[in-house]
Short mmCIF file of all heavy atoms in Angstrom, two decimals:
data_model
loop_
_atom_site.label_atom_id
_atom_site.label_comp_id
_atom_site.label_asym_id
_atom_site.label_seq_id
_atom_site.Cartn_x
_atom_site.Cartn_y
_atom_site.Cartn_z
N VAL A 91 95.19 -44.01 2.13
CA VAL A 91 94.04 -43.30 1.74
C VAL A 91 93.36 -42.84 3.00
O VAL A 91 92.97 -43.61 3.86
CB VAL A 91 93.06 -44.26 0.87
CG1 VAL A 91 91.88 -43.33 0.45
CG2 VAL A 91 93.76 -44.79 -0.20
N GLY A 92 93.13 -41.41 3.09
CA GLY A 92 92.29 -40.88 4.10
C GLY A 92 90.95 -40.57 3.63
O GLY A 92 90.84 -39.84 2.53
N VAL A 93 89.89 -41.03 4.40
CA VAL A 93 88.51 -40.64 3.85
C VAL A 93 87.76 -40.09 5.11
O VAL A 93 87.54 -40.79 6.03
CB VAL A 93 87.76 -42.02 3.42
CG1 VAL A 93 86.42 -41.59 2.90
CG2 VAL A 93 88.63 -42.71 2.33
N GLY A 94 87.46 -38.85 5.09
CA GLY A 94 86.86 -38.18 6.09
C GLY A 94 86.90 -36.76 6.29
O GLY A 94 87.18 -36.02 5.19
N GLY A 95 86.88 -36.21 7.50
CA GLY A 95 87.00 -34.74 7.67
C GLY A 95 88.46 -34.37 7.83
O GLY A 95 89.29 -35.19 7.66
N GLY A 96 88.63 -33.12 8.26
CA GLY A 96 89.95 -32.61 8.34
C GLY A 96 90.88 -33.31 9.17
O GLY A 96 92.08 -33.63 8.90
N SER A 97 90.40 -33.73 10.39
CA SER A 97 91.26 -34.52 11.29
C SER A 97 91.78 -35.84 10.68
O SER A 97 92.94 -36.25 10.73
CB SER A 97 90.51 -34.82 12.54
OG SER A 97 90.19 -33.72 13.33
N THR A 98 90.81 -36.63 10.01
CA THR A 98 91.23 -37.81 9.41
C THR A 98 92.20 -37.61 8.20
O THR A 98 93.29 -38.30 8.14
CB THR A 98 89.96 -38.38 8.76
OG1 THR A 98 88.99 -38.79 9.76
CG2 THR A 98 90.27 -39.76 8.09
N LEU A 99 92.04 -36.52 7.35
CA LEU A 99 92.87 -36.30 6.32
C LEU A 99 94.24 -35.87 6.86
O LEU A 99 95.34 -36.34 6.21
CB LEU A 99 92.26 -35.29 5.42
CG LEU A 99 90.89 -35.64 4.72
CD1 LEU A 99 90.62 -34.61 3.69
CD2 LEU A 99 90.88 -37.03 4.18
N ASP A 100 94.30 -35.07 7.87
CA ASP A 100 95.56 -34.60 8.35
C ASP A 100 96.34 -35.75 8.98
O ASP A 100 97.52 -35.88 8.72
CB ASP A 100 95.33 -33.56 9.51
CG ASP A 100 94.96 -32.22 8.94
OD1 ASP A 100 94.82 -31.97 7.78
OD2 ASP A 100 94.74 -31.25 9.80
N LEU A 101 95.65 -36.57 9.70
CA LEU A 101 96.41 -37.87 10.18
C LEU A 101 96.94 -38.75 9.06
O LEU A 101 98.02 -39.20 9.12
CB LEU A 101 95.33 -38.71 11.05
CG LEU A 101 95.18 -38.08 12.44
CD1 LEU A 101 93.96 -38.78 13.15
CD2 LEU A 101 96.34 -38.21 13.30
N ALA A 102 96.04 -38.90 7.98
CA ALA A 102 96.56 -39.71 6.85
C ALA A 102 97.70 -39.20 6.19
O ALA A 102 98.74 -39.89 5.88
CB ALA A 102 95.47 -39.90 5.79
N LYS A 103 97.81 -37.93 6.10
CA LYS A 103 99.03 -37.23 5.43
C LYS A 103 100.28 -37.36 6.31
O LYS A 103 101.27 -37.68 5.86
CB LYS A 103 98.68 -35.72 5.27
CG LYS A 103 97.67 -35.45 4.18
CD LYS A 103 97.66 -34.06 3.75
CE LYS A 103 96.90 -33.21 4.56
NZ LYS A 103 96.67 -31.84 3.95
N LEU A 104 100.06 -37.32 7.61
CA LEU A 104 101.22 -37.40 8.57
C LEU A 104 101.71 -38.88 8.67
O LEU A 104 102.89 -39.05 8.73
CB LEU A 104 100.78 -36.92 9.97
CG LEU A 104 100.68 -35.33 9.99
CD1 LEU A 104 100.06 -34.92 11.33
CD2 LEU A 104 101.92 -34.64 9.83
N VAL A 105 100.76 -39.82 8.72
CA VAL A 105 101.11 -41.20 8.74
C VAL A 105 101.85 -41.62 7.46
O VAL A 105 102.89 -42.35 7.45
CB VAL A 105 99.81 -42.12 8.79
CG1 VAL A 105 100.09 -43.58 8.48
CG2 VAL A 105 99.20 -42.00 10.25
N ALA A 106 101.45 -41.02 6.26
CA ALA A 106 102.10 -41.27 5.06
C ALA A 106 103.72 -40.86 5.12
O ALA A 106 104.43 -41.57 4.42
CB ALA A 106 101.40 -40.65 3.91
N VAL A 107 104.09 -39.85 5.77
CA VAL A 107 105.42 -39.45 5.76
C VAL A 107 106.17 -39.87 7.00
O VAL A 107 107.40 -39.83 7.06
CB VAL A 107 105.50 -37.86 5.77
CG1 VAL A 107 104.93 -37.33 4.45
CG2 VAL A 107 104.81 -37.16 6.91
N LEU A 108 105.46 -40.49 7.97
CA LEU A 108 106.21 -40.86 9.23
C LEU A 108 106.27 -42.35 9.53
O LEU A 108 107.12 -42.87 10.19
CB LEU A 108 105.49 -40.26 10.40
CG LEU A 108 105.61 -38.73 10.62
CD1 LEU A 108 104.81 -38.16 11.87
CD2 LEU A 108 107.11 -38.33 10.76
N PHE A 109 105.38 -43.20 8.81
CA PHE A 109 105.28 -44.56 9.17
C PHE A 109 106.58 -45.41 8.90
O PHE A 109 106.85 -46.43 9.52
CB PHE A 109 104.10 -45.35 8.65
CG PHE A 109 104.33 -45.90 7.20
CD1 PHE A 109 104.76 -47.11 7.00
CD2 PHE A 109 104.12 -45.13 6.06
CE1 PHE A 109 104.84 -47.62 5.70
CE2 PHE A 109 104.19 -45.54 4.82
CZ PHE A 109 104.65 -46.87 4.67
N ASP A 110 107.44 -44.92 7.98
CA ASP A 110 108.65 -45.65 7.67
C ASP A 110 109.77 -45.42 8.82
O ASP A 110 110.82 -46.05 8.79
CB ASP A 110 109.15 -45.23 6.30
CG ASP A 110 109.71 -43.76 6.31
OD1 ASP A 110 109.63 -43.06 7.31
OD2 ASP A 110 110.19 -43.36 5.22
N GLY A 111 109.50 -44.52 9.77
CA GLY A 111 110.36 -44.32 10.88
C GLY A 111 111.60 -43.60 10.74
O GLY A 111 112.39 -43.33 11.56
N SER A 112 111.74 -42.93 9.49
CA SER A 112 112.93 -42.06 9.17
C SER A 112 112.91 -40.77 10.00
O SER A 112 113.94 -40.04 10.15
CB SER A 112 113.04 -41.81 7.72
OG SER A 112 111.97 -41.14 7.22
N GLN A 113 111.73 -40.26 10.38
CA GLN A 113 111.51 -39.08 11.17
C GLN A 113 110.43 -39.34 12.17
O GLN A 113 109.56 -40.27 12.01
CB GLN A 113 111.15 -37.86 10.32
CG GLN A 113 112.23 -37.37 9.40
CD GLN A 113 111.83 -36.24 8.56
OE1 GLN A 113 111.19 -36.29 7.53
NE2 GLN A 113 112.27 -34.97 9.04
N ASN A 114 110.47 -38.53 13.17
CA ASN A 114 109.28 -38.66 14.08
C ASN A 114 108.49 -37.25 14.05
O ASN A 114 109.12 -36.23 13.44
CB ASN A 114 109.81 -38.92 15.56
CG ASN A 114 110.59 -37.82 16.19
OD1 ASN A 114 110.21 -36.70 16.25
ND2 ASN A 114 111.88 -38.32 16.61
N VAL A 115 107.40 -37.18 14.75
CA VAL A 115 106.56 -36.01 14.54
C VAL A 115 107.16 -34.77 14.97
O VAL A 115 107.03 -33.68 14.48
CB VAL A 115 105.11 -36.22 15.22
CG1 VAL A 115 105.41 -36.25 16.77
CG2 VAL A 115 104.16 -35.06 14.91
N MET A 116 108.00 -34.79 16.08
CA MET A 116 108.55 -33.54 16.59
C MET A 116 109.63 -33.04 15.54
O MET A 116 110.05 -31.78 15.65
CB MET A 116 109.27 -33.77 17.91
CG MET A 116 108.31 -34.30 19.05
SD MET A 116 106.74 -33.12 19.09
CE MET A 116 107.42 -31.69 19.64
#
Side-chain angles (χ1 to χ4, degrees):
V91 181
V93 185
S97 295
T98 301
L99 303 189
D100 284 2
L101 283 171
K103 291 194 281 190
L104 291 168
V105 165
V107 298
L108 290 176
F109 84 92
D110 68 356
S112 60
Q113 292 183 279
N114 63 56
V115 66
M116 299 310 295

